[in-house]
Amino acid sequence: MKDMTGMFFCVAAAVLVVSSSARAAKPPQVPPDLVKGETNGVERAKTYNLGPTGLRGWIYTKPATYLDSVQGRTTTDSRQILVTHVGTNSPAYGVMQTNDVIIGLNGKLFDSDARQAFGRAITEAEKTANNGLLNLVCCRKGMTANIQIRLKVMGSYSDTAPYNCPKSRMILINACRVLEQEKINSGMWGSVQCLALLATGHTNYLPKIRAYARSIAPSTLRLNSKDRMDMSSWDWGYKNLLLCEYYLITGDKEVLHAISEYTIALAKGQSLYGTYGHGMSALTDEGELHGSIPAYGALNQAGLIANLAVIMGKKCGVQHPEVDPAIWRASKFFSYYVGKGSIPYGEHMPWPYHENNGKNALTALLFAIQGNQPASAQFFSKMCTAAYANREYGHTGQGFSYLWGAMGANAGGPAAAAAFMKEARWHLDLVRRCDGSFTYDGGEQYGAGKTDDNTYFGASSYYGLSPNACYVLSYALPQQRLYITGKDANKSNWLTRKDVDDAIVSGRFDVDRDRKNVSELVAALGDWSPIVRSWAAEELAERPESKTMVPQLISLAEGTNPNVRQGACETLGCIKSPEALPVLVRLLKHEDRWLRVKAANALKNMGDVARPVLPGMLKAVVDTAEPIKPIVWDDPFQLTHGELADALFQGLMRNSIEGIDTNLLYPAIKAVAGNADGRARGALNNTLEKHLKLEDIEVLAPDILAAVMVKAPADTMFGNSIRMSALKVLVKYRYREGMRACVHFAKTQGGHGSENRTGEIMKLLMTYGATARGEIQGLKELIVQFNDECNNRKFPKGELNNRRISAVENAIKAIEVAVDQPELRSIARRKNVSGL
């Protein structure tokens, strides 16, 4: 093909006119005009693969809203692509040059997202009828030309792709050729590579898979379920998943002992709520299994794979008294989110979008593989199907979305998988390279990528996760060789055609809603998707007609349809009409616990408008308090109660409690202080530290002390917050019990964040002066404990631990030489305050 320099024609002026007019309509921070040579904002290390052309390019990413980021609209305003790399011997080699600017397709300038348009153009070009020709409008040094890049003809996608689709089959074959050349990672990601090879059904890969499987199944496994943050949940989960899938295909008994040990160790290490952290749960205070997750808290991304591995271990025949209860707890925990939203980071409120970096997908598989919980399997696979726009967003990057997304949709059946992949097709073709490999374009979100083996720029993987393995698993779905890719699927879990169509429509409701009329928005309050219900509520509240609809919405909020009730509550909270206050307060005690959440959220959203019903809210937070044990699985860690606590103490009473009846206030504080959720307890922080007076403290002191001494079992990531606030109150008013509480808190805080928190606790203890000498022995024990934690890998050795120990040593020295003895108060002892 001729070099483009001989093909220029002068349309640069027209291009510049279009660019200028477009800029005039945009907000101040606009894309640079690359045609004019503007480079503001251009970061060459943060680029995108441009499909099988051999090109990488920088594309303007707008300073998006959170919604835009989650919904994949970061490049919406892009209309140009700066070429930053041309691969040697690729289709673009000899045709394109670095610094060329792609400004359009098929003779027309981009008039929408340039990245998505480029991906769709690749899909079209690869069709047989188009002979692989990709027609670009490009600009070099101010001159513009139409040029062609000839891609390999791949054919068209079938309507059922990747099922019964020759093009998808060809993509799979090409990706396998690359994957089979990869070195198997020695860590957990090696399990994913082997799962991908196993999913293809090619027997020639079995020797390689067998060697890896046996390497992670040594004759003796030293596994335990101690309190630690050693990534064991990840490691054991992914390794056992591979071993189980491998064993169920091959019957290789050499790995069966490892499957048993991994499965039992994981089951023993699960928390009382069915969750995991980076590692296993702690023992209970009585020394039994299934305590809380250590201080970092639950991490569902790791917990889901760990729970899935236990389920798969049972399929392999592992029998142990811990296995079935672990599966039951996990099923109860994750089914709690059905109808409410996406699986969150940990023991938290649901994520308010259709997917959260592959966690819904893993949950869909967790239920689908069990085969006996269709409602849960269908909900999460439907959420996955609707989540085609959410693939490019995730905590620390979106690698798990790329890995699990298609498999999660496939749990709802082939039609769901096909619909999901059709919507994502532009991106799937954009991340595919001309050698058949795939790239992980995630570096643009979380920092500069690095050069990979093929000299492309950008992130080559997600922390070592092979992108080729991720996409091989997606395109190997039709083989159904693995349980995670649909083997022996229970078809009663599959979505109907209507379910699939509804999911696709729901996935784009956030952009469609502004075109809906009021009646359509009201109807959407009853949508199957909790995400759509929230979007509809927000949109409806913005419409002028909504002010006159309050009586209708109140009637809907007290109706019989659970979805409509919840959606109506959200809308009332957005409208902020005083007329809605009585019904919202009544709903705080409704038998539908999730409706209570929506009512509490609505009241918080209304701000000072809700102040007249503050007494009713305080009564409700007392009346709806529940014991921590036994666990009420309809609301396992009391999020319902926690949301009302937040509406009160972080909402209406955040700045003042002046004039509030203490007969209502004190019981409310006690109720929230006993919530199972550490974050919910933390709603009291501001009130404890800033608003309570001595006369209040004297009444509440036993409960304040208990807030330090008794840890919240759920959401331990935030559990130390209330403990610190309560301790500050005890120290401020010089309660004798505060000294022992300081030492107890320091010993039981857990490792996460303790490098800073220990110093703060020690400073509080030192204010007691010489009267704290009785605690020196406890402080010496604390130093021993810190060193033991490092030796047992519960906390990293080095500077962080040195800071903890140094803080304790300094406190001992200061107390030993102190002479002041402040006058102390004392708390009347209570049986429920332990450790004193």
Side-chain angles (χ1 to χ4, degrees):
M1 185 176 290
K2 292 176 61 180
D3 187 279
M4 67 177 286
T5 52
M7 301 159 51
F8 286 124
F9 56 92
C10 294
V11 298
V15 173
L16 297 181
V17 168
V18 172
S19 299
S20 298
S21 63
R23 282 199 307 275
K26 293 186 180 297
Q29 195 166 349
V30 297
D33 191 330
L34 303 171
V35 172
K36 285 186 173 182
E38 295 176 0
T39 59
N40 54 299
V42 175
E43 297 184 68
R44 290 176 177 269
K46 299 180 180 180
T47 61
Y48 292 91
N49 187 65
L50 299 177
T53 61
L55 300 173
R56 286 197 71 90
W58 178 86
I59 304 175
Y60 173 73
T61 301
K62 69 178 181 179
T65 65
Y66 196 66
L67 176 62
D68 284 338
S69 296
V70 176
Q71 289 293 107
R73 294 195 291 265
T74 55
T75 55
T76 300
D77 291 346
S78 63
R79 299 295 183 268
Q80 302 172 346
I81 301 173
L82 175 67
V83 175
T84 57
H85 177 80
V86 183
T88 303
N89 298 323
S90 67
Y93 185 67
V95 180
M96 301 290 289
Q97 297 180 13
T98 56
N99 298 320
D100 287 345
V101 181
I102 303 170
I103 57 176
L105 297 162
N106 300 314
K108 298 180 181 179
L109 302 180
F110 288 121
D111 58 4
S112 63
D113 187 322
R115 182 168 65 110
Q116 292 197 22
F118 199 94
R120 293 187 175 95
I122 290 168
T123 306
E124 289 297 313
E126 289 182 335
K127 292 180 177 179
T128 303
N130 293 324
N131 203 28
L133 294 178
L134 179 65
N135 300 304
L136 308 180
V137 182
C138 297
C139 182
R140 181 185 298 165
K141 298 178 181 178
M143 301 296 291
T144 303
N146 291 324
I147 69 162
Q148 288 184 336
I149 296 177
R150 186 177 295 276
L151 307 177
K152 180 180 179 180
V153 175
M154 300 288 286
S156 301
Y157 288 106
S158 70
D159 290 338
T160 57
Y163 289 85
N164 300 315
C165 177
K167 178 173 180 177
S168 298
R169 180 67 181 168
M170 190 181 302
I171 291 171
L172 176 62
I173 291 170
N174 292 340
C176 285
R177 291 195 185 108
V178 179
L179 181 61
E180 68 186 7
Q181 299 302 315
E182 288 184 357
K183 180 181 177 181
I184 300 298
N185 191 301
S186 60
M188 67 182 194
W189 294 142
S191 300
V192 177
Q193 290 169 290
C194 289
L195 281 168
L197 293 172
L198 199 61
T200 66
H202 296 320
T203 56
N204 56 308
Y205 297 147
L206 283 178
K208 188 174 185 178
I209 299 168
R210 182 184 302 114
Y212 177 80
R214 291 182 175 181
S215 76
I216 61 172
S219 57
T220 301
L221 290 172
R222 295 182 179 180
L223 304 182
N224 57 58
S225 55
K226 289 184 179 178
D227 169 5
R228 55 183 180 164
M229 270 182 57
D230 61 356
M231 307 299 287
S232 56
S233 297
W234 302 91
D235 191 61
W236 301 354
Y238 275 96
K239 286 180 177 177
N240 200 44
L241 178 60
L242 169 67
L243 291 175
C244 291
E245 294 277 18
Y246 167 73
Y247 172 76
L248 291 167
I249 287 176
T250 65
D252 184 357
K253 293 184 179 180
E254 290 292 319
V255 302
L256 193 54
H257 70 285
I259 291 173
S260 178
E261 292 199 49
Y262 278 128
T263 302
I264 294 169
L266 284 166
K268 287 181 175 180
Q270 190 192 64
S271 83
L272 72 166
Y273 295 113
T275 55
Y276 295 83
H278 282 299
M280 301 295 104
S281 66
L283 299 177
T284 67
D285 291 339
E286 295 75 30
E288 298 176 351
L289 296 174
H290 313 304
S292 298
I293 300 300
Y296 183 83
L299 187 72
N300 290 330
Q301 190 67 257
L304 278 160
I305 198 69
N307 278 310
L308 187 58
V310 175
I311 291 168
M312 291 298 297
K314 182 179 179 179
K315 279 193 175 291
C316 294
V318 177
Q319 295 182 353
H320 189 276
E322 290 289 345
V323 170
D324 282 342
I327 294 172
W328 182 85
R329 281 189 296 267
S331 298
K332 295 297 287 185
F333 174 82
F334 289 107
S335 65
Y336 168 74
Y337 291 96
V338 171
K340 299 178 178 69
S342 291
I343 302 300
Y345 187 91
E347 292 161 352
H348 308 138
M349 285 283 287
W351 181 257
Y353 300 97
H354 284 115
E355 178 59 294
N356 188 1
N357 202 17
K359 289 194 282 294
N360 281 354
L362 277 164
T363 308
L365 293 171
L366 182 145
F367 288 112
I369 290 172
Q370 290 184 72
N372 58 357
Q373 299 178 64
S376 296
Q378 289 167 3
F379 174 77
F380 287 108
S381 64
K382 195 170 182 179
M383 289 285 280
C384 292
T385 306
Y388 50 85
N390 304 139
R391 297 177 67 252
E392 295 185 272
Y393 187 89
H395 180 67
T396 74
Q398 56 266 35
F400 292 110
S401 177
Y402 298 158
L403 171 59
W404 294 108
M407 287 187 279
N410 189 63
F420 172 86
M421 293 191 73
K422 181 179 180 181
E423 295 294 330
R425 189 173 294 166
W426 69 269
H427 187 260
L428 297 174
D429 282 344
L430 201 65
V431 297
R432 176 165 47 87
R433 293 171 171 163
C434 56
D435 64 353
S437 68
F438 286 84
T439 181
Y440 169 71
D441 281 342
E444 75 283 347
Q445 186 177 344
Y446 290 99
K450 50 189 175 182
T451 305
D452 63 19
D453 294 337
N454 296 322
T455 71
Y456 290 90
F457 295 95
S460 58
S461 68
Y462 177 71
Y463 295 101
L465 171 61
S466 165
N468 297 316
C470 293
Y471 290 108
V472 164
L473 281 164
S474 297
Y475 283 96
L477 291 174
Q479 273 61 50
Q480 296 183 338
R481 293 282 293 174
L482 308 181
Y483 282 90
I484 59 174
T485 58
K487 179 181 179 180
D488 294 342
N490 183 347
K491 294 184 180 181
S492 66
N493 289 332
W494 288 2
L495 303 179
T496 66
R497 184 70 253 179
K498 183 179 185 306
D499 287 334
V500 172
D501 292 341
D502 288 347
I504 297 302
V505 171
S506 295
R508 60 172 65 98
F509 189 89
D510 66 309
V511 292
D512 291 344
R513 63 187 184 180
D514 60 349
R515 296 189 291 272
K516 303 286 186 182
N517 61 40
V518 169
S519 296
E520 291 171 324
L521 291 173
V522 171
L525 295 180
D527 197 84
W528 72 271
S529 165
I531 316 306
V532 167
R533 298 198 293 270
S534 292
W535 285 338
E538 292 171 1
E539 181 66 28
L540 188 57
E542 293 292 322
R543 302 296 176 89
E545 303 95 316
S546 67
K547 305 301 181 185
T548 62
M549 295 177 61
V550 171
Q552 178 189 357
L553 291 166
I554 289 174
S555 177
L556 293 175
E558 294 192 294
T560 58
N561 185 308
N563 291 349
V564 174
R565 288 198 305 253
Q566 295 161 18
C569 264
E570 287 193 71
T571 311
L572 289 169
C574 294
I575 294 173
K576 302 182 180 181
S577 171
E579 189 180 350
L581 293 177
V583 68
L584 292 174
V585 172
R586 284 200 301 273
L587 295 178
L588 292 175
K589 299 181 184 181
H590 197 280
E591 62 180 9
D592 180 346
R593 282 179 167 82
W594 196 241
L595 182 58
R596 295 184 206 170
V597 167
K598 294 301 181 183
N601 293 159
L603 288 165
K604 182 177 181 181
N605 196 41
M606 293 172 79
D608 282 339
V609 173
R611 191 163 293 278
V613 294
L614 179 57
M617 295 171 67
L618 288 167
K619 290 178 182 177
V621 83
V622 174
D623 292 344
T624 58
E626 295 178 298
I628 291 175
K629 289 184 178 181
I631 297 172
V632 178
W633 287 101
D634 287 339
D635 188 4
F637 33 93
Q638 301 182 9
L639 287 181
T640 301
H641 193 249
E643 289 302 293
L644 179 53
D646 194 63
L648 283 164
F649 292 98
Q650 291 297 312
L652 288 172
M653 297 192 296
R654 179 173 180 79
N655 297 321
S656 174
I657 58 172
E658 195 68 33
I660 296 175
D661 185 349
T662 56
N663 291 320
L664 298 174
L665 177 64
Y666 293 167
I669 291 175
K670 294 177 182 181
V672 175
N675 190 286
D677 182 3
R679 182 200 62 82
R681 292 185 185 185
L684 294 172
N685 292 351
N686 208 51
T687 299
L688 292 181
E689 292 191 49
K690 297 181 180 180
H691 301 325
L692 294 183
K693 299 175 182 178
L694 178 57
E695 56 264 33
D696 303 317
I697 302 297
E698 288 178 334
V699 176
L700 295 167
D703 302 280
I704 294 172
L705 177 59
V708 183
M709 304 301 289
V710 182
K711 296 188 292 184
D715 208 355
T716 53
M717 179 179 288
F718 301 102
N720 285 314
S721 173
I722 181 63
R723 302 182 76 190
M724 183 62 76
S725 292
L727 182 62
K728 288 178 179 177
V729 172
L730 295 175
V731 174
K732 177 181 177 181
Y733 291 102
R734 289 290 182 266
Y735 279 96
R736 181 180 302 277
E737 292 82 357
M739 293 184 289
R740 185 69 57 86
C742 283
V743 179
H744 177 77
F745 184 14
K747 287 182 175 181
T748 58
Q749 59 180 314
H752 181 63
S754 61
E755 65 276 9
N756 297 321
R757 195 163 45 244
T758 299
E760 192 173 356
I761 296 170
M762 292 302 105
K763 288 178 181 177
L764 291 171
L765 179 59
M766 286 188 286
T767 65
Y768 283 93
T771 57
R773 285 187 185 139
E775 308 303 328
I776 288 178
Q777 180 57 38
L779 295 178
K780 291 179 179 179
E781 293 171 0
L782 182 59
I783 293 174
V784 174
Q785 174 185 319
F786 285 165
N787 284 322
D788 285 345
E789 286 176 351
C790 291
N791 294 333
N792 294 327
R793 297 195 298 173
K794 297 178 186 177
F795 193 80
K797 292 183 179 180
E799 176 59 27
L800 295 183
N801 192 47
N802 291 341
R803 283 163 57 185
R804 298 196 303 176
I805 292 175
S806 178
V808 180
E809 290 175 338
N810 291 338
I812 293 173
K813 292 176 184 178
I815 292 169
E816 286 177 334
V817 301
V819 295
D820 56 316
Q821 298 187 39
E823 184 178 349
L824 302 181
R825 293 184 174 85
S826 185
I827 300 173
R829 303 296 176 85
R830 281 193 175 186
K831 292 181 180 180
N832 67 337
V833 180
S834 60
L836 296 177

